[in-house]
Amino acid sequence: MNDTTNDRQPRGAALSRYQSMRRLMLAGLVALLFVLLLFGQSVFPPETIVHEIIEMFGVLLIFLGIVGRLWSTLYIGGRKSEEVVTGGPYSITRNPLYVFSSLAAAGVGAQMGSFVAMIGFGLICAGAFHIVIRREERFLKTAMGAPYEAYLKRVPRFWPKLSLYQEGNTGSFKPKLLRTTLLDGLVFLAAAPFFEIIDAAQTSGWLPVLFRIP
């Protein structure tokens, strides 16, 4: 086994810890927001057209988030600790997985039928991921050196810059990583039936409504 291979193993292990932190943070955020909104309700009643439109738009955001996460995984595919990935979604933002996760989180908030919840969920998720992003960047600067430094200067950290898009190379296909990403994304999709149950419980009086938001 050569020195390069030996170096990649601790890199991969370190990055795996960051990725585990990301998944735990994602699950924790979704669970916390669900609990908080057990006792909240939109100012638009569930039977109104505005409520339904916001919910449907949220479902679209969730699907876009899940598809975007799968697209990102096709490119990163386990290569993050081995090389600087600069193609596809990684050509327009350095953290597409976090961008699409935040988009899906906004879709979760929209299931409340509230504009504020939709925007708030997305922003809270993006803000929490910012902590992980900063730690990952410090690690990758040390692990990747000059190529990563050049990438930092060229591509924005979070908000995509579409004019930079380049197709690039997806590398080797890793079905296990795609499956894991899909299962992670299904956490967001579970929001739709969850909020329907909450709406029914609040309407029937089983759950008290402590606050309302637009």
Side-chain angles (χ1 to χ4, degrees):
M1 186 179 292
N2 58 36
D3 291 340
T4 302
T5 302
N6 287 329
D7 185 48
R8 284 177 180 174
Q9 288 179 345
R11 281 189 197 174
L15 196 58
S16 178
R17 288 195 294 271
Y18 288 118
Q19 291 168 342
S20 296
M21 184 191 304
R22 178 188 67 207
R23 285 193 290 269
L24 288 172
M25 183 175 288
L26 179 61
L29 275 172
V30 172
L32 175 62
L33 291 169
F34 276 175
V35 171
L36 289 175
L37 293 178
L38 279 174
F39 306 105
Q41 192 177 76
S42 170
V43 296
F44 308 111
E47 66 274 8
T48 61
I49 187 64
V50 175
H51 189 106
E52 294 295 330
I53 289 174
I54 297 173
E55 280 187 343
M56 288 188 290
F57 184 67
V59 171
L60 175 62
L61 290 179
I62 291 172
F63 274 108
L64 286 176
I66 292 173
V67 171
R69 283 169 54 82
L70 291 171
W71 180 38
S72 302
T73 300
L74 277 175
Y75 276 84
I76 201 68
R79 298 189 291 159
K80 193 169 186 177
S81 63
E82 300 174 5
E83 62 184 281
V84 180
V85 179
T86 60
Y90 289 89
S91 66
I92 57 177
T93 172
R94 302 200 301 265
N95 296 281
L97 280 167
Y98 297 136
V99 172
F100 286 114
S101 294
S102 298
L103 191 68
V108 170
Q111 298 313 300
M112 191 181 177
S114 162
F115 292 111
V116 171
M118 178 175 66
I119 296 170
F121 267 45
L123 291 178
I124 290 171
C125 192
F129 282 142
H130 185 74
I131 300 171
V132 182
I133 289 171
R134 295 298 293 268
R135 292 182 179 180
E136 281 189 350
E137 285 182 351
R138 286 197 295 270
F139 166 75
L140 291 171
K141 281 180 184 179
T142 302
M144 301 294 185
Y148 188 71
E149 292 279 1
Y151 179 62
L152 290 179
K153 294 176 182 177
R154 187 175 71 254
V155 179
R157 171 180 286 160
F158 192 84
W159 302 110
K161 187 175 180 180
L162 300 181
S163 62
L164 296 176
Y165 183 77
Q166 296 178 354
E167 191 66 34
N169 189 343
T170 60
S172 58
F173 180 75
K174 297 184 182 296
K176 183 179 179 180
L177 288 175
L178 281 178
R179 183 174 68 249
T180 301
T181 302
L182 178 60
L183 291 175
D184 287 347
L186 292 179
V187 173
F188 294 112
L189 199 57
F194 185 87
F195 275 106
E196 290 298 327
I197 293 171
I198 290 177
D199 282 342
Q202 289 175 339
T203 301
S204 63
W206 292 351
L207 277 177
V209 177
L210 303 182
F211 60 93
R212 296 180 184 273
I213 55 177

